[in-house]
């Protein structure tokens, strides 16, 4: 007699606390390896996490149940997953191809301008969420202390507190700036070189960057920038901008006057591509600009 084999359990039966605990253990080990500069071990653990059944389930859960855009379709028109489809999370695998993103224009607050969003397919979003689980702990160990945008357990309020701490004892001049069209202008080659990741993961990230954009029925190539709307885009933007604070402080050391004082009293606080530079000397602020 033929019998149809059924899965051991269904979506509603998954022990999410156990899944989160298992994934967090590996993430913690990636963080420590990155902190210690052990690149080989960090990459080995990332490979382990990217193959983890629990990590794949958490990635699918995030994009199909938690994200605000869970009902937004990519170019394939799929905008919802049944519990049975979610259980196919094991199909998530790194490759060297990616479907184009779907261009959606949304209004910018308080202006007549519109911001372009690139919406990947649900599969690509889930794969990006999985890669983010592996990549984020490595870079959290490296990121500068005064970077607050799109980071775990950090918010705009923390950035405000950092600015207050810098100016509450002594008044300072402020350069308030942002990087024009930051997400759209990121250099792919320099970003991939900065990632310093292993070949298979590099190929997948390159495929997302080069996937192109469908605006209506027209396909446009993407030679630069990261698609706003992708799960991994904010992390990639933070990686691209990592080092700004250190670079500005290096520059402050080259200026005339008290070099060590210039470096110590200068502060750069960044929230994604918005940042402020604070210093008691207006000349130093102008030089940094």
């Amino acid at each position: 007699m033929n019998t149809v084999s059924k899965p051991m359990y269904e979506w509603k039966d998954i022990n999410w606390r156990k899944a989160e605990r298992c994934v967090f253990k590996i993430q913690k080990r990636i963080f420590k390896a990155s902190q210690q500069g052990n690149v080989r071990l960090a990459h080995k653990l990332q490979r382990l996490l990217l193959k983890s059944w629990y990590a794949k389930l958490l990635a699918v859960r995030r994009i199909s149940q938690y994200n605000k855009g869970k009902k937004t379709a990519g170019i394939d028109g799929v905008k919802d997953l049944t519990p049975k489809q979610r259980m196919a999370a094991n199909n998530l695998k790194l490759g060297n191809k990616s479907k184009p993103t779907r261009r959606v224009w949304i209004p910018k607050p308080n202006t007549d301008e519109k911001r372009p969003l690139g919406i990947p397919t649900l599969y690509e979003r889930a794969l990006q969420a999985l890669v983010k689980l592996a990549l984020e702990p490595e870079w959290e160990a490296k990121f500068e202390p005064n970077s607050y945008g799109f980071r775990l357990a950090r918010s705009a309020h923390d950035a405000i507190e950092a600015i207050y701490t810098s100016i509450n004892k002594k008044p300072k001049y402020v350069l308030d700036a942002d990087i024009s069209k930051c997400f759209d202008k990121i250099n792919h080659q320099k970003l991939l070189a900065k990632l310093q990741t292993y070949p298979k993961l590099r190929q997948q990230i390159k495929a997302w960057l080069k996937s192109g954009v469908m605006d209506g029925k027209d396909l446009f190539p993407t030679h630069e920038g990261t698609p706003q709307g992708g799960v991994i885009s904010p992390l990639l933007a933070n990686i691209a901008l990592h080092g700004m604070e250190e670079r500005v402080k290096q520059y402050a050391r080259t200026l005339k006057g008290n070099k060590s004082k210039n470096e110590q009293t200068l502060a750069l606080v960044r929230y994604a591509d918005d940042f402020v530079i604070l210093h008691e000397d207006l000349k130093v602020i102008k030089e940094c600009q």
Side-chain angles (χ1 to χ4, degrees), residues 274-286:
D274 287 290
F275 63 94
V276 293
I277 297 176
L278 306 139
H279 196 271
E280 59 196 44
D281 188 345
L282 182 59
K283 286 181 184 175
V284 173
I285 288 285
K286 286 183 175 178

Side-chain angles (χ1 to χ4, degrees), residues 65-79:
Q65 291 186 293
Y66 285 169
N67 277 19
K68 285 182 180 177
K70 62 188 177 184
K71 298 283 186 185
T72 310
I75 60 161
D76 59 359
V78 179
K79 59 180 181 181

Side-chain angles (χ1 to χ4, degrees), residues 8-289:
M8 290 173 67
Y9 49 82
E10 295 178 10
W11 186 260
K12 60 182 175 63
D13 302 322
I14 294 167
N15 185 338
W16 292 110
R17 287 188 70 179
K18 185 182 177 184
E20 284 167 1
R21 195 162 59 243
C22 289
V23 169
F24 182 70
K25 274 184 182 177
I26 304 173
Q27 285 184 311
K28 199 173 177 182
R29 289 175 67 195
I30 294 168
F31 180 87
K32 283 185 177 177
S34 179
Q35 217 171 29
Q36 292 161 2
N38 192 339
V39 177
R40 195 172 176 181
L41 178 60
H43 289 174
K44 186 181 176 182
L45 291 166
Q46 284 174 332
R47 286 190 191 96
L48 180 68
L49 186 64
L50 290 168
K51 289 175 183 175
S52 161
W53 166 239
Y54 280 136
K56 290 176 180 182
L57 287 174
L58 287 172
V60 170
R61 189 190 196 200
R62 177 182 169 179
I63 64 102
S64 64
Q65 291 186 293
Y66 285 169
N67 277 19
K68 285 182 180 177
K70 62 188 177 184
K71 298 283 186 185
T72 310
I75 60 161
D76 59 359
V78 179
K79 59 180 181 181
D80 202 6
L81 296 177
T82 64
K84 192 175 179 181
Q85 287 171 319
R86 289 178 200 145
M87 288 301 289
N90 222 24
N91 294 334
L92 292 175
K93 285 183 176 70
L94 296 182
N96 56 6
K97 291 180 181 178
S98 172
K99 287 184 178 177
T101 58
R102 183 169 71 91
R103 173 65 49 86
V104 176
W105 294 91
I106 60 164
K108 275 189 178 180
N110 307 319
T111 64
D112 295 330
E113 285 184 68
K114 289 192 174 183
R115 178 186 285 124
L117 285 189
I119 311 295
T121 63
L122 278 175
Y123 175 84
E124 300 293 351
R125 271 178 268 172
L127 191 56
Q128 286 184 18
L130 177 63
V131 169
K132 188 170 182 264
L133 286 174
L135 211 56
E136 199 163 43
E138 178 196 352
W139 281 91
E140 278 298 323
K142 299 176 185 178
F143 281 147
E144 293 165 319
N146 283 325
S147 157
Y148 296 96
F150 308 123
R151 288 187 63 190
L152 295 165
R154 288 175 176 237
S155 70
H157 295 289
D158 297 310
I160 292 165
E161 186 183 352
I163 293 168
Y164 173 75
T165 305
S166 180
I167 62 173
N168 71 341
K169 297 267 171 42
K170 192 168 187 179
K172 290 182 179 177
Y173 290 97
V174 181
L175 170 67
D176 178 15
D178 74 340
I179 299 164
S180 178
K181 296 186 177 174
C182 172
F183 276 80
D184 301 330
K185 297 292 180 184
I186 290 170
N187 183 302
H188 290 172
Q189 289 306 115
K190 289 188 177 179
L191 173 60
L192 290 166
K194 198 172 185 180
L195 278 168
Q196 293 184 331
T197 191
Y198 61 94
K200 200 166 186 181
L201 186 51
R202 187 182 185 276
Q203 282 175 356
Q204 181 61 73
I205 293 170
K206 185 179 180 180
W208 286 328
L209 294 173
K210 302 286 186 187
S211 63
V213 176
M214 288 289 292
D215 196 344
K217 292 182 179 179
D218 300 319
L219 176 64
F220 297 95
T222 44
H223 300 299
E224 59 181 1
T226 61
Q228 293 184 61
V231 176
I232 205 169
S233 293
L235 175 61
L236 294 178
N238 263 341
I239 292 168
L241 295 172
H242 170 65
M244 274 181 68
E245 185 180 351
E246 181 55 35
R247 184 68 192 88
V248 167
K249 288 194 172 183
Q250 274 178 6
Y251 186 65
R253 286 199 288 269
T254 68
L255 300 175
K256 291 177 182 177
N258 190 332
K259 293 182 182 181
S260 62
K261 190 182 177 185
N262 278 346
E263 186 189 357
Q264 286 165 10
T265 59
L266 184 138
L268 185 146
V269 179
R270 181 171 69 82
Y271 190 94
D273 61 334
D274 287 290
F275 63 94
V276 293
I277 297 176
L278 306 139
H279 196 271
E280 59 196 44
D281 188 345
L282 182 59
K283 286 181 184 175
V284 173
I285 288 285
K286 286 183 175 178
E287 287 291 328
C288 286
Q289 185 180 7

